[in-house]
Amino acid sequence: MRLGVSAVYASVAAVLVGAHETYDESLELSSLSGGRVYSSFAFKLHSDHDNLHHFRILPRALLQPVKSLGVDAFQLTLTAGRWSYSSWGAPKGSQSVASGAEVWATFGDQNNSASVPLTTRWRRLTSALAGTFCASLDAIDETTSVSVPAQYVWNDAPAHTEVLHAYLPSENVCTENLTPLLKLLPCKGGAGLASLIQMHTILSSEFQSMSVHARKSPSGYTVELAVSTVMRPAQRPADNTTWTLREIFSRNITASCPIANHSEIRIREPINVLDDSDEDWEDDSIHASTPYTKRISQKVYDTTSLDAPTDLSLQLISPIDGPFLKFAPLQATRQILGFGQERDMVRLTLHNEFITETMHVVYYDQLPWTVMPLMHTINATLSLDNMELPQDTIEYRDDFDTPFITSTKYRPAQLRGKMGAMELGLRVPAQSTLHVTYAIIKRHLHYDEHLPGPHRGSDLPPALFVPMSQSASQHTWGQAHRHLPIEQVQAERIYTPASLLHTAVPDFSMPYNIILFYSTFVALFFGSFLNIMVRRYTDVYIEKS
C-alpha cells in the first residue's frame, strides 16, 4: 500500500514538474540588399527543474552529457557560406557566423565530475555533440582548443568566467546535421514553424547557419536552437514585392505546434521617408526614383492557432539596387599577404564611419602551432576619410595621434601541442581607416603530419573583432545614416572568414617514384635470375620425315 501511494505521489510530482517547462518559437524575416531575404528561426525550451527524468519537452539526449560532465553552458554552431557585414549589417543577436564549426563550453565544479580532468570532460562533450548532430568534431583536442574570455563568445557570461573554445573551419554543413536538430524539437519538423525548414531550401541558400545553445541556471536548463539563412527568392517586378511562405520556403505552415506557448512570425520591412524630418512618412507605394532614406517597421503574425495550411501574405521589399537596411559603423577584415614557404604578412583593416566618436576594438585571433607571429613587426598606420563635417563639430588632434594599439597580449603556442592566442586592443578614430600589419613564420611539418589527399594548405581559424561598449543611439553618424534605426546596427562580434595558409610541402611523388623504380628493377632482375637458375637445358631431337 505504501508503494502504491509513493507511486501516485511520484506521478503527481512529475506532472507538476512538467508544468514548468515552456516552449516558444519565432521566425524573423527581413529584407536585405540585392533582393535577398534573411530568415531566422529561433526555438527556446526552458525548464525550472534540473531533474532529467521529469523532462517532457527538453531533449534528454542533449542534456544528459551536460549534466554528467558538469557543463554550465555550451554552444555549437555549424555555418556554411560567408556573412557580408558591409551589405547585410549585423546578424540577429549574438549569433556566430564563423565558417565551419565553432564550439565553446564552460564547466563548473560538481562533485560527480571534479575528479575528471577538464580536458577529458571537454573531449567527452565534443564527442557527445558529434554523435548527436552527426558532425566531425573528433578533430577537437588540445591542439585545436584554447581558453578565451567568456565575454568574447557569451554576452551573459558571469564575471571571471573562461570558456574552452575551438574552431573547425573546414567542417561542412549537410542534411545529416540539420535533421538531428529538428528531432530535438517537441513537434519535430511536422508542425509549427519548424515545418518550414526544408533541407533543399535551406542548404541551397547563399548563407546558412544552425546552432544549439544550452545553459544551466540555478534551478533548471534552457536550450535555444536556431536556424538562419540568407536566400534570394524568385525575382519579381519592381511593383510586386508580395511573397508568401510557399514562395520563400517552398512550403506552407500545415499546423501549429500544440505544445508551443508562443509562436509568431515577425516581418521587418523598410519604410520610406521623403526628407530628413521625422514627421514625413510615406507608404510602400512610393516610387524608387524618389530620394528617400529607410527606417524599419515590424509586423507580427501569431501562428499559435493555425489548424489548416496557411499562406501568409508577406510584404517584403528587397531592392536589387539602393540603400542597405542597416549600416554598421565599424567594418573589419583580415587578409593573409605575401608569398614564399617561410614567411607571410597579416593585415587587419578597420574602418570607423562615426563622425566624432573613436571606437575601441579588441582583435582576438587563435593561432595554431604551425604559425608564429613576430610581435616586433607589428605596425599600425592611419588614413583619414575626406568628408565634410558639420559646422558644430570639433576635432581634437590627440584623437588622431599614436598609439593606435593600446594593449598587446600574446600566448605562444606549444610546438605540436596547444594552440596560441593573440589579442590586440585597437583604437580607431572617427572617419578613418586603421591598417595593422605583422609578419608570421610558418613552421615546417613532418612528412607524416600532412593531411592525406590533394594538398591545399592549412586553414587559419577566423579572427574575432569585438567592439567595446558602443551604443549607436549616443553617437552621430554620416549624413546618409541619420535615419537609421536605433536598434542593433553594429554587430556585437565580427567574424572574418577563415584564411588559407600555404605551407611548405615536400615532393611526395619522389618516394613513390623510387618505390616503383626499385620494384620494377627487382622484379625484372629477380625474374631473370630465377629463370636462369631453375631452367634446365636439354637436347631436343627432331626427326625428319
Side-chain angles (χ1 to χ4, degrees):
M1 184 64 182
R2 293 181 179 178
L3 181 60
V5 174
S6 300
V8 172
Y9 282 145
S11 61
V12 173
V15 173
L16 292 178
V17 171
H20 293 285
E21 294 183 72
T22 59
Y23 170 61
D24 302 326
E25 59 181 12
S26 64
L27 168 61
E28 181 177 304
L29 297 174
S30 59
S31 56
L32 302 176
S33 62
R36 297 175 179 86
V37 175
Y38 172 61
S39 62
S40 178
F41 294 86
F43 309 96
K44 183 176 181 180
L45 302 94
H46 176 71
S47 175
D48 291 338
H49 202 278
D50 59 352
N51 192 337
L52 301 182
H53 300 286
H54 292 165
F55 285 164
R56 298 181 302 113
I57 300 178
L58 270 71
R60 301 181 185 177
L62 181 65
L63 296 179
Q64 182 63 39
V66 172
K67 185 177 180 61
S68 60
L69 297 175
V71 179
D72 289 339
F74 83 89
Q75 178 171 318
L76 167 65
T77 306
L78 298 173
T79 304
R82 179 179 298 181
W83 181 270
S84 177
Y85 288 93
S86 59
S87 301
W88 303 341
K92 180 182 178 182
S94 58
Q95 178 183 348
S96 169
V97 293
S99 57
E102 181 185 9
V103 187
W104 62 261
T106 177
F107 297 85
D109 295 330
Q110 292 190 356
N111 296 330
N112 57 352
S113 58
S115 59
V116 182
L118 184 60
T119 55
T120 302
R121 295 158 65 185
W122 169 245
R123 289 297 303 271
R124 291 178 181 177
L125 175 64
T126 55
S127 299
L129 295 177
T132 303
F133 296 98
C134 299
S136 302
L137 304 180
D138 294 335
I140 297 179
D141 53 13
E142 292 79 4
T143 61
T144 57
S145 305
V146 66
S147 178
V148 303
Q151 290 74 17
Y152 290 173
V153 294
W154 186 16
N155 296 334
D156 300 331
H160 308 291
T161 301
E162 291 190 357
V163 301
L164 291 178
H165 185 272
Y167 284 120
L168 290 180
S170 58
E171 179 68 16
N172 297 321
V173 182
C174 61
T175 57
E176 295 179 355
N177 307 130
L178 191 56
T179 301
L181 184 139
L182 295 179
K183 290 184 177 181
L184 299 178
L185 300 176
C187 296
K188 307 299 188 289
L193 299 180
S195 61
L196 298 176
I197 301 178
Q198 298 296 307
M199 304 302 172
H200 65 280
T201 303
I202 300 299
L203 297 180
S204 61
S205 58
E206 297 183 10
F207 171 86
Q208 61 267 4
S209 175
M210 54 162 287
S211 65
V212 52
H213 181 197
R215 59 184 182 271
K216 183 182 182 300
S217 61
S219 59
Y221 292 93
T222 300
V223 178
E224 297 179 359
L225 309 175
V227 177
S228 301
T229 63
V230 174
M231 59 186 66
R232 183 180 297 177
Q235 297 295 336
R236 294 293 193 88
D239 57 347
N240 187 359
T241 58
T242 302
W243 292 325
T244 62
L245 293 178
R246 177 176 291 277
E247 292 172 335
I248 298 178
F249 299 105
S250 302
R251 189 174 182 181
N252 301 327
I253 299 180
T254 57
S256 61
C257 182
I259 304 179
N261 296 342
H262 300 282
S263 179
E264 61 182 17
I265 300 178
R266 295 189 296 271
I267 310 299
R268 299 164 54 83
E269 58 184 3
I271 296 179
N272 301 323
V273 184
L274 285 174
D275 54 16
D276 292 343
S277 64
D278 293 342
E279 300 177 357
D280 296 334
W281 296 82
E282 289 289 333
D283 55 14
D284 296 332
S285 62
I286 188 172
H287 296 287
S289 59
T290 306
Y292 65 95
T293 56
K294 291 187 176 182
R295 289 182 181 272
I296 294 178
S297 67
Q298 181 169 279
K299 298 179 181 179
V300 180
Y301 298 87
D302 189 4
T303 59
T304 55
S305 59
L306 296 177
D307 55 359
T310 303
D311 280 339
L312 294 178
S313 180
L314 308 178
Q315 186 71 17
L316 285 176
I317 301 177
S318 296
I320 298 178
D321 299 321
F324 304 140
L325 291 182
K326 295 181 180 180
F327 291 85
L330 176 67
Q331 301 292 331
T333 59
R334 183 194 66 181
Q335 293 177 317
I336 304 296
L337 308 177
F339 57 91
Q341 305 293 344
E342 183 179 0
R343 291 195 180 189
D344 272 341
M345 184 71 69
V346 178
R347 182 175 66 181
L348 311 177
T349 303
L350 297 91
H351 178 65
N352 182 7
E353 294 189 0
F354 280 126
I355 290 181
T356 60
E357 186 66 26
T358 299
M359 296 195 69
H360 296 270
V361 185
V362 173
Y363 160 71
Y364 184 83
D365 205 347
Q366 297 182 11
L367 302 175
W369 62 267
T370 56
V371 176
M372 183 178 66
L374 302 179
M375 304 301 292
H376 69 279
T377 62
I378 297 179
N379 183 32
T381 59
L382 185 71
S383 60
L384 301 180
D385 299 340
N386 296 325
M387 182 177 179
E388 296 182 1
L389 302 177
Q391 296 181 357
D392 56 348
T393 302
I394 300 176
E395 292 185 314
Y396 297 94
R397 183 173 181 178
D398 295 343
D399 295 338
F400 302 95
D401 288 342
T402 56
F404 303 113
I405 301 178
T406 58
S407 62
T408 303
K409 294 181 181 180
Y410 173 55
R411 181 171 55 191
Q414 296 181 5
L415 186 61
R416 293 176 176 82
K418 296 183 179 180
M419 288 193 76
M422 182 178 180
E423 179 181 320
L424 299 178
L426 305 177
R427 183 177 61 88
V428 188
Q431 286 298 314
S432 65
T433 301
L434 179 65
H435 298 280
V436 180
T437 59
Y438 61 90
I440 58 175
I441 293 180
K442 298 178 290 186
R443 291 190 173 98
H444 294 272
L445 304 178
H446 292 165
Y447 75 94
D448 57 347
E449 293 176 341
H450 290 272
L451 298 177
H455 178 75
R456 55 177 294 273
S458 59
D459 292 312
L460 197 62
L464 183 64
F465 293 90
V466 183
M468 304 303 294
S469 302
Q470 293 295 332
S471 176
S473 61
Q474 299 177 359
H475 305 298
T476 305
W477 289 14
Q479 297 296 327
H481 302 165
R482 283 186 293 174
H483 290 288
L484 293 176
I486 295 180
E487 54 192 321
Q488 179 190 359
V489 288
Q490 175 60 56
E492 299 175 358
R493 297 186 296 271
I494 300 177
Y495 291 87
T496 66
S499 301
L500 183 61
L501 194 66
H502 295 283
T503 56
V505 181
D507 187 3
F508 286 110
S509 63
M510 184 57 64
Y512 295 101
N513 294 336
I514 295 176
I515 292 174
L516 292 176
F517 173 77
Y518 276 98
S519 298
T520 305
F521 174 78
V522 170
L524 293 176
F525 175 80
F526 180 77
S528 301
F529 185 77
L530 182 64
N531 187 23
I532 295 175
M533 293 293 295
V534 301
R535 175 175 291 185
R536 300 288 184 181
Y537 293 94
T538 58
D539 296 333
V540 178
Y541 296 95
I542 301 176
E543 296 181 358
K544 296 182 178 179
S545 58

